[in-house]
């Protein structure tokens, strides 16, 4: 008799995934365009432009810290609504040009909103997915983020070519953020009630444990390093493409990236549920390093696109597997904290990277910067083994 699998693609799962997709799409659309906007509009340095881009992620860290702590008290659904309201308000504020300090403040506040939304959606999905298909389900859910990381930069780089492209971006984002807020009210997310006993237990935790899940820290630290290595690709690909005269090929980079992830993600998620994560993580890190090497040495369009495929397979699949590890090693009542812990460290890598690399860039070339990321990626292989891989006992 054929075994009946518990469903993944429920109404709640689909709508939460769409909310996650659109919010992250807007995030990455701005990540690859806002530095150019800062330079063109306010004539700031490369370092300040990197800060304008990365301060968004610093805000996301703040949002995730707060959301991870509050979810246990008010629930992830209410937390999601708070994030969506703040997201809509801050998105409309981009329409005003009141100086680079104003822009930094808006980026910070919107980062808080995105961090709140991401933690809430990740927690909801972790709660509603069946245990037997959690790796597969989180893999599909994180695919929404991967698609957003590809489509967002592609749309952003395309819009930069338009007349008044920045205005088009800001007005489009305002409309999308309003749609997300409306979509929230069309779904009733059925979640288990907050366990009062668990709430009482949190009073006995240390101050740090009320905001961070210690069990999720090892894999989250690896994600921090990997996020740092990738941050330069995400933020400076526009400038790098101009430097190596591959602007046209670069506009398709993130589509190639997304394509390989769409193809591979369903298989890697299922494989993790059956064979545990190590069988996926080690190859992913090695392929990511090879992809970064090819990216740093690209001299033709095909090299850039092959690099996108390798980076997509390595970096893209590592992300979903690492997020699943962070949740699976944690008790259900701390899924919110595990999710926020993972993304706090991961976002920290993405956020600090552009600022640090932006300060280094005037003294070197983009090629050199990307080459220097390869040893960092390779170091993560033995580091993963020591911190996570050798003691994997996931259920």
């Amino acid at each position: 008799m054929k075994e009946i699998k518990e469903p993944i693609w429920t109404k709640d799962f689909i709508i939460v995934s769409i909310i996650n997709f659109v919010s992250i799409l807007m995030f990455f659309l701005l990540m690859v365009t806002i530095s150019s906007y800062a330079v063109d509009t306010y004539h700031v340095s490369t370092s300040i432009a990197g800060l304008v881009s990365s301060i968004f992620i610093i805000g996301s860290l703040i949002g995730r810290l707060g959301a991870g702590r509050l979810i246990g008290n008010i629930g992830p659904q209410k937390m999601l609504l708070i994030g969506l309201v703040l997201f809509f308000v801050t998105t409309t504020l981009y329409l005003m040009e009141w100086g680079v300090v104003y822009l930094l403040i808006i980026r910070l506040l919107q980062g808080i909103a995105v961090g709140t939304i991401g933690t809430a959606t990740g927690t909801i999905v972790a709660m509603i997915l069946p245990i037997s298909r959690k790796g597969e389900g989180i893999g599909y859910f994180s695919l929404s983020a991967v698609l957003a990381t590809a489509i967002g930069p592609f749309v952003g780089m395309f819009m930069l070519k338009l007349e008044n492209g920045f205005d088009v971006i800001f007005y489009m984002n305002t409309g999308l953020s309003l749609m997300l807020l409306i979509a929230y009210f069309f779904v009733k997310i059925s979640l288990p009630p907050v366990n009062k006993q668990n709430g009482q237990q949190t009073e006995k935790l240390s101050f740090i444990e009320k905001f961070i899940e210690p069990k999720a820290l090892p894999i989250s630290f690896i994600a921090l390093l990997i996020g740092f290595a990738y941050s330069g690709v995400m933020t400076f690909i526009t400038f790098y493409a101009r430097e190596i005269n591959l602007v046209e090929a670069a506009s398709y980079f993130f589509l190639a990236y997304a394509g390989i992830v769409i193809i591979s993600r369903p298989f890697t998620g299922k494989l993790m549920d059956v064979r545990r994560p190590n069988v996926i993580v080690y190859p992913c890190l090695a392929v990511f390093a090879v992809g970064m090497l090819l990216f740093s040495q690209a001299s033709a369009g095909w090299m850039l696109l092959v690099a996108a495929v390798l980076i997509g397979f390595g970096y893209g699949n590592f992300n979903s597997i690492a997020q699943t590890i962070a949740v699976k090693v944690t008790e259900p009542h701390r899924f919110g904290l595990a999710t926020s812990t993972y993304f706090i460290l991961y976002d920290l890598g993405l956020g600090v990277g552009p600022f640090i690399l932006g300060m280094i860039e005037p003294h070197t070339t983009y090629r050199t910067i990307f080459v220097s990321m390869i040893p960092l990626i390779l170091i993560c292989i033995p580091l993963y083994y020591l911190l996570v891989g050798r003691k994997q006992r996931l259920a």
Side-chain angles (χ1 to χ4, degrees):
M1 186 174 179
K2 188 176 181 180
E3 181 182 355
I4 299 177
K5 293 184 177 181
E6 297 177 272
I8 290 178
W9 296 99
T10 61
K11 179 185 177 183
D12 293 345
F13 180 85
I14 292 171
I15 293 187
V16 170
S17 296
I18 290 174
I19 290 175
N20 189 61
F21 167 75
V22 175
S23 63
I24 294 177
L25 182 147
M26 294 168 61
F27 159 47
F28 278 94
L29 187 157
L30 287 174
M31 278 293 289
V32 300
T33 58
I34 202 67
S35 55
S36 296
Y37 172 74
V39 171
D40 294 348
T41 306
Y42 300 115
H43 310 291
V44 298
S45 65
T46 304
S47 179
I48 296 299
L51 178 61
V52 169
S53 176
S54 62
I55 198 172
F56 185 101
I57 301 178
I58 304 304
S60 178
L61 298 179
I62 299 172
R64 291 188 186 281
L65 274 171
R69 177 72 177 94
L70 293 175
I71 277 177
N73 297 325
I74 68 175
Q77 188 170 355
K78 290 182 180 178
M79 205 72 243
L80 179 57
L81 178 59
I82 292 171
L84 289 172
V85 170
L86 180 59
F87 190 55
F88 171 69
V89 171
T90 53
T91 301
T92 61
L93 296 177
Y94 279 98
L95 298 174
M96 277 75 78
E97 294 181 2
W98 289 347
V100 69
V101 174
Y102 170 80
L103 182 61
L104 285 167
I105 294 172
I106 297 308
R107 293 284 292 162
L108 180 68
L109 292 175
Q110 192 178 54
I112 293 174
V114 170
T116 302
I117 293 171
T119 300
T121 55
T123 303
I124 291 170
V125 164
M127 287 181 170
I128 65 177
L129 283 172
I131 295 176
S132 62
R133 304 185 70 187
K134 201 174 291 292
E136 182 183 357
I138 291 179
Y140 284 126
F141 171 73
S142 60
L143 189 58
S144 67
V146 172
L147 288 173
T149 63
I151 297 173
F154 176 78
V155 173
M157 294 177 73
F158 172 78
M159 287 185 169
L160 284 181
K161 302 175 184 178
L162 302 176
E163 186 177 356
N164 300 320
F166 293 119
D167 290 336
V168 175
I169 289 172
F170 296 149
Y171 278 109
M172 182 189 73
N173 281 356
T174 300
L176 288 174
S177 64
L178 178 59
M179 289 173 58
L180 289 185
L181 187 56
I182 294 173
Y184 170 87
F185 294 99
F186 281 85
V187 61
K188 180 64 177 177
I189 303 171
S190 301
L191 294 174
V194 177
N195 191 322
K196 293 183 179 180
Q197 183 179 356
N198 290 334
Q200 293 171 354
Q201 289 175 351
T202 58
E203 297 178 1
K204 302 177 182 178
L205 299 175
S206 67
F207 176 79
I208 294 178
E209 288 177 321
K210 292 180 180 180
F211 293 90
I212 297 293
E213 172 50 57
K215 293 180 181 178
L217 281 175
I219 188 62
S220 301
F221 178 68
I222 304 295
L224 181 154
L225 299 179
I226 294 299
F228 183 95
Y230 179 71
S231 66
V233 175
M234 178 180 61
T235 304
F236 298 120
I237 187 172
T238 302
F239 301 115
Y240 178 54
R242 293 173 187 169
E243 182 180 275
I244 62 177
N245 298 314
L246 293 176
V247 175
E248 185 67 24
S251 65
Y252 295 99
F253 180 91
F254 293 102
L255 288 184
Y257 172 103
I260 189 63
V261 176
I262 292 172
I263 294 171
S264 61
R265 182 62 59 80
F267 300 103
T268 56
K270 290 179 181 178
L271 190 58
M272 175 183 173
D273 285 332
V274 177
R275 297 285 301 276
R276 296 182 180 176
N278 289 353
V279 72
I280 306 296
V281 172
Y282 292 121
C284 282
L285 293 176
V287 171
F288 182 25
V290 174
M292 186 64 77
L293 175 62
L294 187 59
F295 181 78
S296 68
Q297 302 303 310
S299 57
W302 69 266
M303 295 177 69
L304 205 62
L305 296 181
V306 172
V309 170
L310 295 174
I311 292 174
F313 180 87
Y315 173 80
N317 281 290
F318 169 81
N319 268 342
S320 67
I321 299 301
Q323 182 184 351
T324 306
I325 292 173
V327 171
K328 277 202 164 189
V329 298
T330 311
E331 292 81 7
H333 70 277
R334 288 179 67 84
F335 278 174
L337 283 173
T339 301
S340 65
T341 298
Y342 174 78
F343 281 108
I344 283 169
L345 270 71
Y346 170 63
D347 287 352
L348 184 61
L350 286 178
V352 172
F355 183 59
I356 294 177
L357 298 179
M359 289 191 296
I360 297 174
E361 186 275 330
H363 308 288
T364 184
T365 65
Y366 287 111
R367 287 193 189 277
T368 303
I369 288 175
F370 294 133
V371 167
S372 68
M373 294 299 100
I374 298 171
L376 178 62
I377 299 169
L378 293 175
I379 288 172
C380 288
I381 296 177
L383 197 59
Y384 171 82
Y385 170 76
L386 291 173
L387 297 180
V388 182
R390 64 176 178 172
K391 48 189 175 184
Q392 274 303 311
R393 294 291 185 272
L394 297 182

